[in-house]
Amino acid sequence: MLVFPNAKLNLGLYITSLRPDGFRNLESVFVPLPWCDALEVLPAETNVLTLSGIPIPGDSATNLCWRAYELLRTDFQLPPVQMHLHKAVPIGAGLGGGSSDAAFALRALDEVFELHLSPERLEDYARQLGSDCAFFIRNKPIFAYEKGDVFEPIAVSLTGVACKVIYPGLHISTAEAYARVVPRAPRHDLRASLAQPLEQWRDLVSNDFEEALTPQYPILGELKQALYTAGAAYASLSGSGSAVYGLFPDRETLPKLLLPEEFQVWDGVL
């Protein structure tokens, strides 16, 4: 079975408080981004995971796709499996690529081995693999809070809106990003802000990581300003960085920016 784990964008991201378990409470809206990896899952005689594309650091035994298989195997007598992951979504970009790989692995294993797990059950497994993994089970816009793994529906549609995402080749670890953020109450009500026209988001919707990370990594602010100068209706850091994205009214308004060769760019219509 071949699936295509997609990335996500954060529309706003507020780090609101510290939790007793050491995590942070947050508020954000997650929306799917069609920048995808490729994952093949097949029954096999022996267990094997192969990788291609962007190099993934660490041992393959700790890969989130493999951890998804091991997690399900604690509750089900799964036969051996062959998985191949081709990595295209940048790592350390704030786009949720690794979390998506894990969630899509759960979904694919459920289908290949006919486990008939409900979306709720798959989300429970996904939460054990990462805070935003559960989003990719249903893979539709949601308002996320607590650790980013508790969801409420939200009526946000970016259908037809064009997007340009720029990854400046800068890996920012989640641990580093969170260490630089001081939790505080949200500046605006995120749901109310996103109910306003896209052109008003610039003054109403923000990402707390921008203020925390831009002094250390000025390129983040430079890319955001470049997108606004090129006509973006809204531009922001995604997640904890370092990808920066801009939203434009339609494909015809997507700009061509002169960027260094090592930067990775995705653009298209959401």
Side-chain angles (χ1 to χ4, degrees):
M1 181 179 187
L2 183 62
V3 294
F4 298 94
N6 59 272
K8 70 166 175 63
L9 294 177
N10 291 76
L11 304 180
L13 178 52
Y14 303 134
I15 309 302
T16 60
S17 62
L18 291 170
R19 297 166 52 92
D21 59 10
F23 288 88
R24 273 78 165 175
N25 285 316
L26 62 83
E27 292 182 7
S28 187
V29 168
F30 300 159
V31 295
L33 173 71
W35 190 351
C36 300
D37 295 333
L39 175 65
E40 186 175 45
V41 177
L42 298 170
E45 302 240 338
T46 57
N47 283 322
V48 60
L49 170 66
T50 53
L51 306 170
S52 61
I54 298 171
I56 301 174
D59 190 277
S60 61
T62 64
N63 182 277
L64 281 168
C65 294
W66 199 252
R67 286 176 57 196
Y69 170 74
E70 295 286 0
L71 181 62
L72 288 180
R73 199 164 66 163
T74 61
D75 292 336
F76 301 94
Q77 292 184 334
L78 298 184
V81 67
Q82 173 183 331
M83 289 194 282
H84 180 81
L85 174 64
H86 180 79
K87 193 71 183 157
V89 176
I91 299 168
L95 299 172
S99 296
S100 181
D101 295 337
F104 273 75
L106 289 172
R107 291 168 53 179
L109 290 163
D110 174 54
E111 188 164 341
V112 167
F113 295 118
E114 299 181 346
L115 304 180
H116 306 294
L117 298 173
S118 67
E120 293 80 8
R121 186 99 181 268
L122 285 168
E123 286 177 347
D124 286 341
Y125 282 115
R127 288 184 178 95
Q128 298 178 58
L129 297 170
S131 293
D132 58 357
C133 285
F135 161 73
F136 294 100
I137 298 299
R138 300 180 198 252
N139 210 21
K140 60 183 181 181
I142 51 88
F143 175 78
Y145 59 103
E146 294 193 7
K147 292 191 298 182
D149 61 354
V150 180
F151 308 134
E152 290 181 5
I154 187 169
V156 170
S157 175
L158 295 178
T159 303
V161 173
C163 180
K164 181 179 284 288
V165 185
I166 305 170
Y167 172 65
L170 175 65
H171 184 286
I172 299 178
S173 72
T174 302
E176 177 191 356
Y178 274 93
R180 293 181 181 275
V181 173
V182 178
R184 62 186 176 187
R187 296 179 181 180
H188 298 97
D189 182 304
L190 182 57
R191 283 170 286 194
S193 298
L194 291 174
Q196 305 307 308
L198 177 60
E199 294 73 20
Q200 295 184 26
W201 291 7
R202 182 172 184 172
D203 299 319
L204 298 173
V205 181
S206 59
N207 180 337
D208 285 347
F209 285 105
E210 287 184 10
E211 186 177 319
L213 294 172
T214 299
Q216 180 71 19
Y217 304 106
I219 187 63
L220 305 179
E222 293 166 9
L223 288 174
K224 181 179 177 179
Q225 185 55 53
L227 288 164
Y228 273 129
T229 300
Y234 177 70
S236 175
L237 187 73
S238 187
S240 56
S242 62
V244 179
Y245 68 90
L247 301 179
F248 298 81
D250 50 44
R251 184 182 292 276
E252 286 67 34
T253 57
L254 277 172
K256 293 183 179 179
L257 300 178
L258 187 61
L259 298 168
E261 276 188 17
E262 64 270 21
F263 287 18
Q264 289 180 260
V265 178
W266 180 93
D267 58 24
V269 176
L270 298 175

